[in-house]
Amino acid sequence: MISSIKRFLIGRPLKSTALGEQKLSKTKALAILSSDALSSVAYGPEQILIVLVTLGTLAFWYSIPIAIGVLILLAALILSYQQIIFAYPHGGGAYVVSKENLGVNPGLIAGGSLLVDYILTVAVSVSAGTDAITSAFPSFHSHKVVIAIIFVLIITILNLRGLTESATILAYPVYLFVLALFILIGVGLFNVLTGKVSPDLSAPLGTPVAGVSLFILLRAFASGSSALTGVEAISNAIPNFKDPAPKNAAKTLMAMGTLLALLFSGIVFLAYYYGISPRAEVTVVSQIAEETFGRNGMYYFIQGTTALILILAANTGYSAFPLLAVNLAKDKFIPRMFTIRGDRLGYSNGIIILGVASILLIMFFEGQTEHLIPLYAVGVFIPFTLSQTGMMLKWIREKPTGWVPKFIINTTGALISFTVTIVFFLTKFDRVWPVLIFLPLIIFIFHRIRRHYEAVGDQLRITTCEPAVPIEGNVIIVPVAGITHVVENSINYAKSLSPDQIIAVYVSFERDDEKKFEEKWKNWQPDVRLVTLHSHYRSIIQPLTKFVDTVEHKASESNYQVTVVIPQFIPKKGWHNILHNQSSLLIRSFLLYRRNVIITTVPYHLKK
Amino acid sequence: MISSIKRFLIGRPLKSTALGEQKLSKTKALAILSSDALSSVAYGPEQILIVLVTLGTLAFWYSIPIAIGVLILLAALILSYQQIIFAYPHGGGAYVVSKENLGVNPGLIAGGSLLVDYILTVAVSVSAGTDAITSAFPSFHSHKVVIAIIFVLIITILNLRGLTESATILAYPVYLFVLALFILIGVGLFNVLTGKVSPDLSAPLGTPVAGVSLFILLRAFASGSSALTGVEAISNAIPNFKDPAPKNAAKTLMAMGTLLALLFSGIVFLAYYYGISPRAEVTVVSQIAEETFGRNGMYYFIQGTTALILILAANTGYSAFPLLAVNLAKDKFIPRMFTIRGDRLGYSNGIIILGVASILLIMFFEGQTEHLIPLYAVGVFIPFTLSQTGMMLKWIREKPTGWVPKFIINTTGALISFTVTIVFFLTKFDRVWPVLIFLPLIIFIFHRIRRHYEAVGDQLRITTCEPAVPIEGNVIIVPVAGITHVVENSINYAKSLSPDQIIAVYVSFERDDEKKFEEKWKNWQPDVRLVTLHSHYRSIIQPLTKFVDTVEHKASESNYQVTVVIPQFIPKKGWHNILHNQSSLLIRSFLLYRRNVIITTVPYHLKK
């Protein structure tokens, strides 16, 4: 039954050879990988104004130079990541770049913060989208957490179904959102040019503002830069592209950068020109839309697509997290299970872990994930800084032809990213301090895991270890609970292996019982030696283990191998198991994990 | 760590031979087994008045004849259960008596309703006691459910520690409650005799009352009879008494009956003489205490011991439920695990199941368990009726000397119990209908379980089945994942058993890999045949199962036995397991439960 539910939700398994068909075209990739970055337009410009409004509305003109700063950073990032794509065509983004150029630990810092960040992306963006919906339909407000969880489940299932299927469904909302914002910006600019909106609504550029300081301007810049989260997603996901993957990925990245730049500057400009102040209840985009169209169908179209893309921004996490996990798992820093492709060829374990972790986050914060945003932004800018610094070193070290402009681009990007990171730490330390605890912890765990895998590898490798001890003979112990077909079966099997000795062991709780059983046994299996053990504390495991230890000790002296043959009857239906004490299972796990004996289970399948 | 917590909570394991020391003396048994019955005094008289008050306060004099009726029922029950104790000295109460005299299904009706009833006892009485406490300390009111659950946990742990230990702790509150009520009744009667209280506070006996009907009087009688729940506990628990168990149990039952009769009639008389009306906020006992002492220390002493004994009434359930479960389990109507004695010689599984079930009930009803009381009373009077009818038949059938008075006692008891049951159904059908659904369901499950055990027994018994198929030879299949020490170990072991054939099986996901592995294998183990299977869907289980099926089919033709030897490395620490795909475990459980092959696990213990 479980398997048919699974079949219904995620579809029939796909053959490994179908992998090529699951790859993404450029238009689908743009939809699936840029929803996070593009959705930032819905809140990025607002973040700048929220900081500036502390200086008064006169300071709003600063949003223009700050936006230009953000655009420069965006350009530097896009150009830099394009170079990363060609330099590292197998994907991995910041983790691989930092690891190869700066060393393992910087790589792990980048990888670890991105890993946590993708979980935050999912939780934060789904919560934000759910907020947008429950603002429109207040009666759902008390069910916010449940709604958010349902969205996460839907996105998880879509991703388990596979890349192309989810891309097809997700492409529409993304392109609708882009279309809606272009209409908004276009009509807004038309109104400006035709003089329908008076330009003196806000202070002109260069108006002197009291109390302005570099600190506040940097803070506004850092807040605005949170619109750039999600830019690295494409460079992580190169293996998902159709061939030629790097070329297609670079083109998609450029398209995304252009779209992001256009939408971002359009919104900032209109907000400045309309003289819009950030308000708690109504977003900046919503104010612009209302000024432009009034509260008509177009307004609701813009609001609706905005809510949708906020939820879909989560999908970027789903594309990037499993691939990053594969890279980390291949280097043995996280469990190997992340490298396994599921029925539909996606890395299902990564997808499922991401879904579960973000649902836990949503439940823990009860859907109030807003104050995770600075944490999340820092988690992006740390790997940005590291990967660009890595690229700088790469150019200096390799010095390919025409490396100087590339070096300059990366240096600019690294410097701005580093500045943004520092500004976040200086201005929002109360929100971002957990990074300083989680990152070292994660990196410690990464190293522990790797050390374990290496220790295991060393011990398993044939060449490095001493040869196996030869087995000179076999002793078989059969724990018996009575004179039944199950026991008969096991004894027959033990005999068929013609070992050097078979010992049947009976654990009794009462003295009378012992004698009786010994006699019965002698009549039934006179050629098999029976040992009866008395259990004072009504436990089977304890006396049995002690006995096995004694036998094992003696056997190992002459290189004999001890095998415990456990008779087990298998009921016809699963629920029958609760009617039987699971002694066989208990004995098996206890001996297997703690003693050096081989465990054989002889099943006796019941027919009714 | 878990085992040391367990040790701390429930104490060191006891040897089976210590069983005698765990038996109860009469005074301890009275405390431990009568708390349920005695605590009923706290609400039984009130139940009568609550019904009568619907006729007006003039009708209160009816409480005297009704109380006499209840006392007659009590006397009949006590005398009847004394006979049951001597007739069935191994305990079992209503279940055993009904089963032996009326047949299996009446026995199961009695046993099933008592089983459910003990769970209700625990939930209802702990909730009632918690209510009494939170009435005194209203600030705890919002934590009612948590407090009730903590009480259930404490009682569960006490019972897991063993009978005598819990008896010692529980004896004080019970005897204090009895003492408190005796002082109250004594001082009250003294006041009455010395004329301090005027007798004309209430209507004299025989005052005509408008609207009185047999229906209402029966209803009041049935409500008052709810004070008799818990009377059967002693007859279930005879095996817990010190020798001579039946004699001691009979004496304890008589002592309990006397105490219950004295306290019940004292409270009913004082309530009538003081002219007390039932009030929602203050209990009848509390009103009597206030009239007698005023609100002084004595008043709080009475209230406190009442609250305590209400909580301890739960303990009666803990003494009786596990013993009843043992009786049902011995007859194979419920899972066998209920017959196992735990570390401290109590039937731990019964104790734990009772605790868990009543915690679930408390959580489900959020501590509002009052309307479960009628359900609970019906659940007691159904087995009362059945067991006494059973005794009637027994006397008629066996006709021992002097059977006539015994027959009369049991007939009286059966008739009154039957009347009370019918009255409950007639007057409180809205509360007691679930019995009509649960009882048939439980009895159906009882029979299903028994049928399963019998089917298993038939299949396992040596005499009734055909002899086992002889094993002519052995084929061993070793699934291998690489060329490692784990695999080497398993191959060596397989060889040491000198089977007729060893087949190593390798499942590959990629074609290239196959060839390479085959070559490596040929160099490493040239004498072991290797079969490589290609998995299209990246599953190991599927192709392996198919292969095992083929081999098994061929082998069974010539009575060869197939054994799958699974190499498994055991990491040094438990948490390491999540770092390794548990393929060995998966393969094992899949093959063991679905295929007719023997599974051998060859452990390779890692040292770091």
Side-chain angles (χ1 to χ4, degrees):
Chain A
M1 206 194 61
I2 290 172
S3 74
S4 62
I5 293 176
K6 183 181 158 198
R7 184 71 49 97
F8 171 74
L9 286 176
I10 71 166
R12 287 162 32 75
L14 295 175
K15 286 198 181 185
S16 306
T17 46
L19 197 56
E21 300 160 22
Q22 281 283 308
K23 302 267 172 169
L24 291 172
S25 68
K26 287 194 293 280
T27 40
K28 282 190 180 171
L30 183 63
I32 216 169
L33 294 168
S34 66
S35 47
D36 181 17
L38 292 179
S39 70
S40 320
V41 172
Y43 55 83
E46 186 159 3
Q47 297 293 316
I48 298 177
L49 294 181
I50 287 175
V51 178
L52 291 179
V53 82
T54 56
L55 296 173
T57 51
L58 277 186
F60 282 174
W61 69 266
Y62 277 115
S63 65
I64 301 293
I66 287 171
I68 292 170
V70 172
L71 288 178
I72 292 172
L73 175 56
L74 174 64
L77 286 176
I78 296 288
L79 291 173
S80 175
Y81 269 109
Q82 268 199 326
Q83 290 164 26
I84 290 177
I85 286 173
F86 287 112
Y88 297 94
H90 298 297
Y95 166 62
V96 173
V97 176
S98 312
K99 192 187 69 176
E100 303 222 333
N101 296 302
L102 302 174
V104 171
N105 279 322
L108 290 181
I109 294 174
S113 31
L114 282 177
L115 216 50
V116 175
D117 235 56
Y118 291 131
I119 300 170
L120 292 173
T121 309
V122 175
V124 169
S125 59
V126 169
S127 301
T130 310
D131 271 347
I133 291 174
T134 55
S135 306
F137 306 99
S139 57
F140 289 129
H141 196 77
S142 55
H143 305 295
K144 225 172 70 173
V145 173
V146 176
I147 294 173
I149 290 173
I150 291 173
F151 279 126
V152 174
L153 290 177
I154 292 174
I155 298 174
T156 306
I157 291 169
L158 278 178
N159 278 282
L160 287 174
R161 288 191 78 95
L163 275 176
T164 47
E165 286 205 40
S166 56
T168 315
I169 295 176
L170 302 180
Y172 299 106
V174 175
Y175 285 116
L176 281 180
F177 171 74
V178 171
L179 177 71
L181 280 205
F182 268 126
I183 294 176
L184 174 64
I185 293 167
V187 175
L189 286 181
F190 178 78
N191 288 350
V192 169
L193 293 176
T194 54
K196 276 194 190 165
V197 188
S198 125
D200 43 52
L201 275 168
S202 52
L205 293 177
T207 313
V209 180
V212 73
S213 68
L214 186 64
F215 182 80
I216 286 186
L217 293 182
L218 282 177
R219 190 172 170 168
F221 172 66
S223 297
S225 307
S226 64
L228 303 186
T229 57
V231 163
E232 81 297 346
I234 290 177
S235 68
N236 279 321
I238 308 173
N240 284 345
F241 279 84
K242 277 195 179 146
D243 287 328
K247 221 172 159 186
N248 285 330
K251 279 187 189 164
T252 309
L253 181 63
M254 186 51 80
M256 181 184 83
T258 312
L259 279 178
L260 183 54
L262 288 175
L263 297 180
F264 185 80
S265 43
I267 295 294
V268 170
F269 177 74
L270 285 183
Y272 163 68
Y273 208 82
Y274 283 16
I276 281 166
S277 273
R279 276 194 276 154
E281 342 62 275
V282 195
T283 62
V284 166
V285 172
S286 156
Q287 289 185 57
I288 297 176
E290 203 173 349
E291 294 249 358
T292 311
F293 300 109
R295 284 221 170 216
N296 61 10
M298 199 55 216
Y299 169 81
Y300 287 107
F301 176 61
I302 289 168
Q303 289 299 93
T305 51
T306 307
L308 256 182
I309 203 169
L310 280 171
I311 292 174
L312 290 188
N315 200 61
T316 304
Y318 279 89
S319 308
F321 181 95
L323 285 167
L324 176 58
V326 168
N327 278 311
L328 282 164
K330 275 185 187 157
D331 291 344
K332 298 180 186 161
F333 289 115
I334 60 173
R336 204 151 47 195
M337 60 171 177
F338 287 104
T339 61
I340 299 171
R341 283 185 190 273
D343 279 355
R344 302 282 288 185
L345 297 164
Y347 293 108
S348 345
N349 288 323
I351 294 170
I352 291 167
I353 296 274
L354 176 62
V356 170
S358 40
I359 285 177
L360 290 179
L361 259 187
I362 290 173
M363 292 205 292
F364 187 76
F365 287 95
E366 297 185 337
Q368 311 287 329
T369 48
E370 301 84 37
H371 41 271
L372 292 176
I373 290 179
L375 196 61
Y376 158 51
V378 163
V380 176
F381 278 95
I382 290 174
F384 276 0
T385 311
L386 287 171
S387 61
Q388 309 216 47
T389 311
M391 289 305 284
M392 282 167 61
L393 288 188
K394 187 184 167 80
W395 300 139
I396 291 179
R397 219 179 279 139
E398 299 179 3
K399 294 199 180 63
T401 43
W403 65 278
V404 179
K406 294 180 177 181
F407 175 78
I408 291 170
I409 289 170
N410 286 128
T411 309
T412 318
L415 283 177
I416 308 181
S417 302
F418 183 67
T419 312
V420 174
T421 311
I422 295 299
V423 170
F424 268 115
F425 271 104
L426 290 179
T427 60
K428 303 201 169 174
F429 189 75
D430 57 322
R431 294 273 191 239
V432 300
W433 61 266
V435 167
L436 299 179
I437 293 170
F438 282 116
L439 266 187
L441 188 70
I442 289 173
I443 288 159
F444 172 74
I445 294 173
F446 283 163
H447 280 294
R448 279 300 297 272
I449 291 177
R450 170 142 181 164
R451 214 160 68 205
H452 169 74
Y453 277 129
E454 281 177 347
V456 171
D458 279 352
Q459 290 173 82
L460 299 191
R461 211 165 298 128
I462 297 285
T463 46
T464 58
C465 290
E466 71 275 28
V469 183
I471 300 173
E472 304 285 354
N474 279 288
V475 179
I476 293 184
I477 299 175
V478 188
V480 300
I483 292 178
T484 63
H485 275 293
V486 193
V487 172
E488 186 183 35
N489 229 21
S490 303
I491 297 280
N492 284 352
Y493 175 68
K495 283 179 184 166
S496 82
L497 298 176
S498 44
D500 302 83
Q501 205 182 3
I502 302 181
I503 313 171
V505 182
Y506 180 71
V507 179
S508 87
F509 298 160
E510 281 162 53
R511 290 280 177 204
D512 305 351
D513 186 38
E514 266 169 62
K515 289 264 161 59
K516 262 191 252 164
F517 190 79
E518 273 167 15
E519 266 165 41
K520 270 201 250 170
W521 186 269
K522 231 176 250 166
N523 292 327
W524 187 51
Q525 296 275 3
D527 50 340
V528 176
R529 191 183 145 202
L530 176 74
V531 172
T532 51
L533 305 172
H534 185 72
S535 170
H536 292 291
Y537 296 100
R538 301 163 306 287
S539 148
I540 297 173
I541 300 278
Q542 228 183 353
L544 189 62
T545 311
K546 232 168 116 182
F547 180 73
V548 168
D549 283 347
T550 320
V551 174
E552 211 268 321
H553 187 74
K554 243 176 138 180
S556 67
E557 279 170 8
S558 40
N559 285 337
Y560 273 42
Q561 176 63 53
V562 178
T563 304
V564 178
V565 170
I566 300 177
Q568 179 172 2
F569 65 88
I570 313 283
K572 214 181 153 208
K573 287 175 191 162
W575 70 266
H576 289 162
N577 279 311
I578 58 160
L579 300 178
H580 303 284
N581 308 329
Q582 303 298 322
S583 314
S584 319
L585 212 67
L586 221 73
I587 294 173
R588 176 185 180 272
S589 7
F590 196 89
L591 291 178
L592 188 62
Y593 282 89
R594 282 170 232 190
R595 297 295 187 270
N596 190 24
V597 291
I598 287 166
I599 309 287
T600 297
T601 311
V602 181
Y604 185 84
H605 292 267
L606 297 179
K607 281 170 200 78
K608 29 177 192 177
Chain B
M1 205 195 62
I2 289 172
S3 74
S4 62
I5 292 175
K6 182 181 160 197
R7 184 71 49 99
F8 171 75
L9 285 175
I10 72 166
R12 287 164 29 75
L14 294 175
K15 285 198 181 185
S16 306
T17 46
L19 198 56
E21 300 160 20
Q22 280 283 310
K23 302 266 172 170
L24 291 171
S25 68
K26 287 195 292 281
T27 40
K28 282 190 179 170
L30 184 61
I32 214 169
L33 293 168
S34 66
S35 48
D36 181 18
L38 293 179
S39 71
S40 321
V41 172
Y43 55 84
E46 186 160 2
Q47 298 292 317
I48 300 177
L49 293 180
I50 286 174
V51 178
L52 291 179
V53 82
T54 56
L55 297 173
T57 52
L58 277 184
F60 282 175
W61 70 266
Y62 277 114
S63 65
I64 302 293
I66 287 171
I68 293 171
V70 173
L71 289 178
I72 292 172
L73 175 57
L74 173 64
L77 285 177
I78 296 288
L79 292 173
S80 174
Y81 269 110
Q82 268 200 325
Q83 291 166 24
I84 290 176
I85 286 173
F86 288 112
Y88 298 94
H90 299 297
Y95 166 63
V96 173
V97 176
S98 311
K99 192 187 68 175
E100 303 222 332
N101 295 303
L102 302 173
V104 171
N105 279 323
L108 290 182
I109 294 174
S113 32
L114 282 178
L115 217 50
V116 175
D117 235 55
Y118 291 131
I119 300 170
L120 292 174
T121 310
V122 176
V124 169
S125 58
V126 169
S127 301
T130 310
D131 270 347
I133 291 173
T134 55
S135 306
F137 306 98
S139 57
F140 289 129
H141 197 77
S142 55
H143 305 296
K144 225 172 71 173
V145 173
V146 176
I147 294 173
I149 290 174
I150 290 172
F151 279 127
V152 174
L153 289 177
I154 291 173
I155 298 174
T156 305
I157 290 168
L158 278 178
N159 277 282
L160 286 175
R161 287 191 78 95
L163 275 177
T164 46
E165 286 205 40
S166 56
T168 316
I169 294 176
L170 302 180
Y172 298 107
V174 174
Y175 284 117
L176 281 180
F177 171 75
V178 172
L179 178 70
L181 281 204
F182 269 127
I183 294 176
L184 174 64
I185 294 167
V187 174
L189 287 180
F190 179 78
N191 288 349
V192 169
L193 294 175
T194 54
K196 275 195 191 165
V197 186
S198 124
D200 44 50
L201 273 169
S202 52
L205 292 178
T207 312
V209 180
V212 71
S213 68
L214 186 64
F215 182 80
I216 287 185
L217 294 181
L218 282 176
R219 190 172 170 169
F221 172 67
S223 297
S225 307
S226 64
L228 303 185
T229 57
V231 164
E232 82 296 344
I234 290 178
S235 69
N236 279 322
I238 308 173
N240 284 344
F241 278 83
K242 276 196 179 146
D243 287 329
K247 222 172 159 186
N248 285 329
K251 280 187 186 163
T252 309
L253 180 63
M254 186 51 82
M256 179 183 85
T258 313
L259 279 179
L260 183 54
L262 289 175
L263 297 180
F264 185 81
S265 42
I267 295 295
V268 169
F269 177 74
L270 285 182
Y272 164 68
Y273 208 82
Y274 283 15
I276 280 166
S277 273
R279 277 195 274 154
E281 343 62 275
V282 195
T283 63
V284 166
V285 172
S286 156
Q287 289 185 57
I288 297 176
E290 203 172 349
E291 294 250 358
T292 312
F293 300 108
R295 286 222 168 214
N296 61 9
M298 199 56 215
Y299 169 81
Y300 287 107
F301 177 58
I302 289 168
Q303 289 299 92
T305 52
T306 307
L308 256 182
I309 203 170
L310 280 172
I311 291 173
L312 290 188
N315 199 61
T316 305
Y318 279 90
S319 308
F321 181 96
L323 285 167
L324 175 58
V326 168
N327 278 311
L328 283 164
K330 275 185 187 157
D331 291 343
K332 297 180 186 162
F333 288 114
I334 60 173
R336 205 150 48 196
M337 61 171 177
F338 287 105
T339 61
I340 299 171
R341 284 185 191 273
D343 278 356
R344 303 281 289 184
L345 297 164
Y347 293 108
S348 344
N349 288 322
I351 293 170
I352 291 167
I353 296 274
L354 176 61
V356 170
S358 40
I359 285 176
L360 290 179
L361 259 187
I362 290 172
M363 291 206 290
F364 187 77
F365 287 95
E366 297 185 337
Q368 310 287 331
T369 48
E370 301 85 35
H371 40 271
L372 292 177
I373 290 180
L375 195 62
Y376 159 50
V378 164
V380 176
F381 278 95
I382 290 173
F384 276 2
T385 311
L386 287 170
S387 63
Q388 308 216 47
T389 312
M391 289 305 282
M392 282 167 60
L393 289 188
K394 186 185 168 82
W395 300 138
I396 292 178
R397 220 179 278 137
E398 299 180 2
K399 295 200 179 64
T401 44
W403 66 277
V404 179
K406 294 181 177 181
F407 174 78
I408 291 170
I409 289 170
N410 285 129
T411 309
T412 318
L415 282 177
I416 308 181
S417 301
F418 183 67
T419 312
V420 173
T421 310
I422 295 299
V423 171
F424 267 114
F425 271 103
L426 290 179
T427 60
K428 303 200 169 174
F429 189 74
D430 57 322
R431 293 273 190 241
V432 301
W433 62 265
V435 166
L436 300 179
I437 293 170
F438 282 116
L439 266 187
L441 187 71
I442 289 173
I443 288 160
F444 173 74
I445 294 172
F446 283 164
H447 281 294
R448 279 298 298 270
I449 291 176
R450 171 143 182 163
R451 216 163 66 207
H452 169 74
Y453 277 130
E454 281 178 346
V456 171
D458 279 351
Q459 290 173 80
L460 298 191
R461 210 165 299 128
I462 296 284
T463 45
T464 57
C465 291
E466 71 273 27
V469 183
I471 299 173
E472 304 286 353
N474 279 289
V475 178
I476 293 184
I477 299 174
V478 189
V480 300
I483 293 179
T484 62
H485 275 295
V486 193
V487 172
E488 185 183 35
N489 228 22
S490 302
I491 297 281
N492 283 352
Y493 175 69
K495 283 178 184 166
S496 83
L497 298 176
S498 44
D500 302 84
Q501 204 181 2
I502 302 181
I503 313 171
V505 181
Y506 180 71
V507 179
S508 86
F509 297 159
E510 280 163 53
R511 291 281 177 201
D512 305 350
D513 187 37
E514 265 168 62
K515 289 264 159 63
K516 262 191 252 165
F517 191 78
E518 272 167 16
E519 266 166 42
K520 270 201 250 169
W521 187 269
K522 232 176 250 167
N523 292 328
W524 186 49
Q525 296 275 3
D527 50 339
V528 176
R529 190 183 145 202
L530 176 75
V531 172
T532 51
L533 305 172
H534 185 73
S535 170
H536 294 290
Y537 296 99
R538 302 163 306 287
S539 147
I540 296 174
I541 300 279
Q542 229 183 352
L544 188 62
T545 311
K546 233 168 116 184
F547 179 74
V548 168
D549 282 349
T550 320
V551 174
E552 212 268 323
H553 187 75
K554 242 175 139 181
S556 67
E557 279 171 6
S558 39
N559 285 337
Y560 273 43
Q561 176 64 53
V562 178
T563 304
V564 179
V565 170
I566 300 178
Q568 180 172 1
F569 64 87
I570 313 283
K572 214 181 154 210
K573 287 176 189 159
W575 69 266
H576 289 162
N577 279 310
I578 58 161
L579 300 180
H580 303 285
N581 308 329
Q582 302 296 321
S583 314
S584 318
L585 212 68
L586 221 74
I587 295 172
R588 177 186 180 272
S589 4
F590 196 89
L591 291 177
L592 188 62
Y593 282 90
R594 281 171 231 190
R595 298 296 188 267
N596 192 24
V597 291
I598 288 166
I599 308 287
T600 297
T601 311
V602 180
Y604 185 85
H605 292 267
L606 297 180
K607 280 168 201 80
K608 31 179 191 175

